[in-house]
Amino acid sequence: MTSQITYDRLIKIAVVGDIHDQWEAEDGIALQHLGVDLVLFVGDFGNESVEVVRAIAALEIPKAAVFGNHDAWYTATDWGRKKCPYNREQEDWVQQQIDLLGESHVGYQKRDFPEFNLSVVGSRPFSWGGATWKNANFYQERFGVTSFAESTALMVAAAESAQYDNIIFLGHNGPLGLGDRAEDPCGKDWQPLGGDFGDPDFAEAIAQTRAAGKNIPLVTFGHMHHKLRHTQQQLRKAISVAQGTVYLNAASVPRIVQRGSDRQRNFSLVYLHNSTVTQVSLVWLHQNYKIASEQILYQNSSSLMQSA
């Protein structure tokens, strides 16, 4: 049963881009200083980095997460299994990560947040991206999925089961359809240069959920890093807006940098009011947790920003 409650509070959401083992106790403290209501993780915690996931699972802030391709680095592919640093007959680091996150893991699932009048729905977990169905054995064994169509169906079913009509889609790789230039949110930044590397099953799930009457204010993901391989002259486009939905690529990597004696870390901040995204920014925090810089990536001029 969906909720028709009118929700007038400003919600402050932190989206944590690809971590790649860059998560510290200070990150949890930083989120407290930022005063966020909800934290979304787009995956790539590390190469099956169980301890990083364990630390994030212990974070005492409402959260949802999906896993990225690096989170199955030694399991999903033949070449990865050959490099596996542990005995796969005795341990399963992929399953350990899933178990640690529990209900916070929303890949192919949903998590309802009644305090915010919204549900978070996860796309295909462990996605490598693109229009080729990769790692078929992995997806069949782990999720019983054998095609993009079956993958879409799982996402749509999760959205249909959501308690709320306001849906945030959370993915590792973004959806197909956000542009085919190398600098676009899911653009292919390697040779041959250009092409849309978004996930077609994710795009179709969003389209079907929108057609079913759900409101989708935000779709957020990572995977394709902001820094481009082919040029130092520009960064990847982080924002795309279509049909009232803001699409955010949050993969500002590396997310922790040492600048002189100052250790700084970044988060993407999304402000949601009346089921609409009013602002998105990329913030860097000093090691004393004060904001070092804030880049406004998107602002909805028709919505008035209100203090939390």
Side-chain angles (χ1 to χ4, degrees):
M1 184 173 64
T2 56
S3 171
Q4 303 300 326
I5 298 171
T6 300
Y7 197 85
D8 194 42
R9 178 187 159 195
L10 182 71
I11 306 168
K12 190 175 186 180
I13 302 170
V15 185
V16 183
D18 296 29
I19 289 173
H20 294 295
D21 287 310
Q22 287 196 314
W23 181 265
E24 301 169 346
E26 290 81 359
D27 285 298
I29 299 170
L31 289 168
Q32 296 285 354
H33 276 265
L34 285 169
V36 300
D37 301 297
L38 175 65
V39 188
L40 304 177
F41 293 90
V42 304
D44 271 8
F45 299 102
N47 290 349
E48 299 190 20
S49 295
V50 173
E51 293 311 310
V52 173
V53 174
R54 189 187 310 279
I56 287 167
L59 192 65
E60 294 183 352
I61 300 175
K63 60 185 176 292
V66 293
F67 289 110
N69 55 301
H70 279 265
D71 302 315
W73 197 249
Y74 302 118
T75 301
T77 65
D78 289 337
W79 57 261
R81 287 189 287 274
K82 290 176 183 177
K83 299 177 181 180
C84 188
Y86 61 92
N87 186 335
R88 298 184 67 254
E89 293 182 359
Q90 297 180 2
E91 296 183 272
D92 184 344
W93 288 6
V94 169
Q95 191 60 48
Q96 284 184 46
Q97 293 174 98
I98 293 172
D99 292 344
L100 280 166
L101 281 181
E103 64 180 2
S104 295
H105 169 230
V106 295
Y108 284 148
Q109 301 177 70
K110 55 88 179 181
R111 187 171 189 186
D112 299 316
F113 291 94
E115 64 270 42
F116 308 131
N117 192 40
L118 63 82
S119 300
V120 177
V121 174
S123 72
R124 171 163 41 101
F126 306 101
S127 171
W128 252 261
T132 301
W133 184 252
K134 302 181 182 73
N135 307 322
N137 290 339
F138 173 80
Y139 279 109
Q140 184 169 18
E141 291 169 4
R142 298 276 172 167
F143 302 102
V145 175
T146 63
S147 66
F148 284 126
E150 291 178 4
S151 179
T152 293
L154 284 182
M155 292 180 237
V156 171
E160 288 176 344
S161 71
Q163 185 175 352
Y164 300 99
D165 287 335
N166 298 313
I167 302 289
I168 291 176
F169 271 104
L170 176 61
H172 177 58
N173 191 42
L176 189 75
L178 302 182
D180 59 4
R181 297 171 300 175
E183 65 270 19
D184 283 328
C186 302
K188 184 171 176 284
D189 181 35
W190 56 87
Q191 297 299 331
L193 198 64
D196 189 342
F197 206 63
D199 286 342
D201 49 339
F202 194 6
E204 181 60 23
I206 293 167
Q208 289 188 30
T209 300
R210 183 181 288 119
K214 300 281 190 177
N215 175 53
I216 308 172
L218 175 68
V219 176
T220 189
F221 49 91
H223 187 49
M224 312 296 270
H225 298 179
H226 288 182
K227 288 184 179 178
L228 297 170
R229 301 182 190 183
H230 78 282
T231 179
Q232 302 297 313
Q233 304 305 310
Q234 65 183 112
L235 296 175
R236 182 178 301 281
K237 184 180 176 185
I239 296 285
S240 183
V241 183
Q243 295 181 267
T245 299
V246 174
Y247 295 82
L248 167 64
N249 179 330
S252 179
V253 180
R255 60 169 302 272
I256 300 176
V257 297
Q258 193 73 32
R259 294 189 170 120
S261 61
D262 191 20
R263 191 164 179 80
Q264 297 184 10
R265 63 198 70 244
N266 76 60
F267 301 91
S268 295
L269 296 181
V270 179
Y271 296 85
L272 195 66
H273 183 249
N274 288 338
S275 307
T276 299
V277 173
T278 56
Q279 181 174 298
V280 181
S281 62
L282 177 66
V283 298
W284 284 90
L285 271 61
H286 290 297
Q287 62 189 21
N288 65 1
Y289 307 114
K290 295 187 182 300
I291 292 177
S293 67
E294 181 170 17
Q295 178 187 4
I296 305 298
L297 302 174
Y298 169 82
Q299 203 159 32
N300 184 340
S301 59
S302 65
S303 298
L304 295 175
M305 288 293 295
Q306 300 178 9
S307 60

